[in-house]
Amino acid sequence: MLSSSITLIVLLVSLATAFPRLDPKSLQELLKRGTESKACPFSHLNAPQPTKRQVGFDPVAQRVPTTGKYAWKAPNLAAGDKRGPCPGLNALANHGYLPHNGIAPAATIVQAVNQAYGMSLDLGAFLAAYGTVFNGDALSLTPGYSIGGPASIGLLGGVLSGTGITRTPSGLSGSHNNYEGDTSATRGDQYVVGNNDLLQIPFFQQYYDALLENTPAPEQYSNLFRFRQSRFNYSVETNPYFFFPQFAGVLVAPAGFAFPPAMMSNHSAQYPQGYLDKETFKSFFAVTGDSGNFKYQPGYERIPDNWYKRAIGTEYSIPAFLLDVLQFALQDPRLLSVGGNTGTTNSFTGVDVTALTKGVFNGATLAQGNNLQCFIFQLIQAEAPGLVTGLYEDLAKALQPLTDSISGALAGLDCPQLMELDRSQYEKYPGYKKNPTGL
């Protein structure tokens, strides 16, 4: 399972890293392919193809149980239960869809997000596998990770066996710049507020205010663009260490804006595509009280009673998520620009693809032919060892599924060979070099 899941990692991360220097015309073409073509806009990268269908509502199949074995139970954070930056995962642990201690096998996470939220198996497997490789234990017989802070081998209850791992896995709360990143929808920047997992009431208030009432979820998401743009601008303006990497920035950051309308909205005959009412929004984010006087209780995220997930057969997939990302990036291409502030506020600068690859690739031709796929798969292969150096005793074994999937993805493409990277291109970003876990 892990090998196939990491293939999905390569796919989605490849798309993220490839876009930093695409011009608005190229982005327009990508979005046009996604919205007008009957085929998947990313079929040349072997992404699953979305199927167009009339969305219906089945109250039996879509109802998500919140009683019995799925009844909500408060976490015992003092005793070591883990809760972290993802409200959706926190809620699943509180309801028993994930282990209550917040430390779960990757396969359990994939099943839970599909069962409760209607996240597709491809997207769920990708996210679970990435979290496992970089923030958990990929060599265990049951690979998995903590949805919150570090989990020592003694706390893992047999989930992470420690076979070949050299130190305590960081968990999602310790994943800054490799999973969690700056410009979150409701969390603060790591080096501004001192943590990345606690909700910040002012940002939640802005999201709450931007949610259109009595409006289908897709339109609610579209209306969040100005809020998403303002959060990006806020990081540029206030965080000299702001860094926007290919995965934690380009892809995970927009998930905080796209996932709530896509997978936390309640579905009904009136709103078969979902509607995220504000009480439901508060419940999923552990917030109580009235607007202007909100209270937040960390770790107390809850799935509302009488809540209905996405229609069966319309699961939220990798292509659907990428189109949501591109929808906003078309309006502000910086949202796909790998880069960051260079030591002072308001100094955001994107990475130069030509310099990074020593002339093998350039941003102007990345969208032509197989260049996009060739560039990114090779870039991931070149950078992966550095991301997990010191985490595994046998680095080659830990990365073997990734290496195999990249070799298969590039077979027959006649790619220009990326022999080495000029990593000095990253040195201008102080936020790239700062990491609370030392990974």
Side-chain angles (χ1 to χ4, degrees):
M1 172 184 165
L2 187 60
S3 178
S4 61
S5 298
I6 293 184
T7 303
L8 294 167
I9 289 175
V10 178
L11 166 65
L12 198 52
V13 176
S14 73
L15 287 166
T17 327
F19 293 138
R21 308 297 275 188
L22 287 182
D23 56 64
K25 183 178 180 181
S26 298
L27 291 176
Q28 177 72 56
E29 180 60 28
L30 282 167
L31 192 60
K32 180 180 180 181
R33 277 190 278 160
T35 55
E36 295 183 358
S37 175
K38 294 182 180 180
C40 171
F42 310 110
S43 58
H44 65 293
L45 291 178
N46 301 315
Q49 294 192 11
T51 302
K52 292 186 176 181
R53 66 186 70 195
Q54 186 69 33
V55 178
F57 176 66
D58 184 334
V60 176
Q62 291 177 238
R63 181 161 184 160
V64 176
T66 56
T67 60
K69 68 177 182 178
Y70 297 119
W72 186 88
K73 180 182 177 183
N76 189 338
L77 302 178
D81 286 345
K82 305 298 182 182
R83 301 294 184 268
C86 178
L89 294 180
N90 292 346
L92 291 178
N94 291 339
H95 282 277
Y97 287 93
L98 294 179
H100 193 69
N101 67 0
I103 305 160
T108 302
I109 294 172
V110 175
Q111 179 183 4
V113 295
N114 176 262
Q115 178 183 356
Y117 298 142
M119 179 183 286
S120 67
L121 295 178
D122 65 334
L123 182 54
F126 151 66
L127 293 174
Y130 191 98
T132 296
V133 171
F134 294 103
N135 305 114
D137 184 350
L139 295 180
S140 169
L141 295 177
T142 51
Y145 59 93
S146 161
I147 67 173
S152 68
I153 300 304
L155 284 174
L156 297 178
V159 173
L160 310 186
S161 64
T163 54
I165 195 163
T166 62
R167 61 175 180 265
T168 301
S170 68
L172 294 188
S173 293
S175 64
H176 187 65
N177 280 350
N178 69 51
Y179 200 115
E180 172 279 329
D182 296 329
T183 77
S184 164
T186 61
R187 270 59 181 172
D189 288 3
Q190 172 76 37
Y191 304 120
V192 174
V193 302
N195 70 81
N196 57 43
D197 57 345
L198 297 179
L199 179 142
Q200 304 296 309
I201 291 291
F203 302 150
F204 178 85
Q205 180 75 62
Q206 293 171 29
Y207 199 138
Y208 181 93
D209 292 342
L211 274 178
L212 294 176
E213 296 190 85
N214 303 313
T215 302
E219 295 175 36
Q220 288 184 299
Y221 173 69
S222 296
N223 194 62
L224 293 175
F225 169 70
R226 293 299 179 194
F227 169 52
R228 200 281 172 266
Q229 187 180 53
S230 73
R231 291 291 298 116
F232 188 93
N233 291 339
Y234 186 83
S235 290
V236 172
E237 295 165 1
T238 63
N239 182 5
Y241 296 105
F242 172 42
F243 184 60
F244 204 62
Q246 59 267 30
F247 178 70
V250 172
L251 289 180
V252 174
F257 301 83
F259 281 12
M263 289 182 288
M264 292 179 178
S265 60
N266 204 353
H267 295 72
S268 64
Q270 181 181 5
Y271 293 108
Q273 292 181 295
Y275 163 48
L276 183 57
D277 68 88
K278 294 188 174 184
E279 289 302 311
T280 295
F281 182 57
K282 290 196 302 180
S283 180
F284 270 112
F285 281 79
V287 171
T288 57
D290 297 326
S291 179
N293 191 34
F294 288 134
K295 305 295 182 185
Y296 166 56
Q297 190 163 8
Y300 276 57
E301 292 84 355
R302 181 191 294 260
I303 300 173
D305 294 331
N306 300 313
W307 186 80
Y308 299 83
K309 66 177 180 179
R310 298 172 66 94
I312 307 302
T314 68
E315 286 76 16
Y316 192 62
S317 63
I318 287 176
F321 173 51
L322 290 175
L323 290 176
D324 280 345
V325 173
L326 290 171
Q327 179 182 339
F328 283 2
L330 180 63
Q331 300 174 74
D332 188 342
R334 295 177 307 160
L335 301 180
L336 289 180
S337 182
V338 175
N341 278 342
T342 56
T344 61
T345 56
N346 294 306
S347 59
F348 185 86
T349 305
V351 170
D352 187 322
V353 170
T354 302
L356 179 67
T357 63
K358 297 189 174 182
V360 177
F361 294 95
N362 68 79
T365 62
L366 281 182
Q368 298 176 6
N370 295 319
N371 286 346
L372 182 66
Q373 189 169 352
C374 292
F375 165 65
I376 291 306
F377 278 79
Q378 291 184 85
L379 181 62
I380 294 296
Q381 189 167 29
E383 293 206 3
L387 292 175
V388 294
T389 296
L391 181 60
Y392 297 105
E393 292 177 356
D394 190 338
L395 185 61
K397 182 178 180 181
L399 293 176
Q400 191 61 50
L402 179 63
T403 301
D404 291 344
S405 60
I406 289 176
S407 297
L410 298 181
L413 294 187
D414 193 25
C415 293
Q417 292 301 299
L418 178 60
M419 303 304 296
E420 60 179 333
L421 298 175
D422 180 7
R423 291 184 175 83
S424 68
Q425 297 299 314
Y426 294 131
E427 294 300 311
K428 65 172 70 76
Y429 307 114
Y432 168 76
K433 296 180 285 186
K434 287 177 68 71
N435 192 306
T437 65
L439 286 177

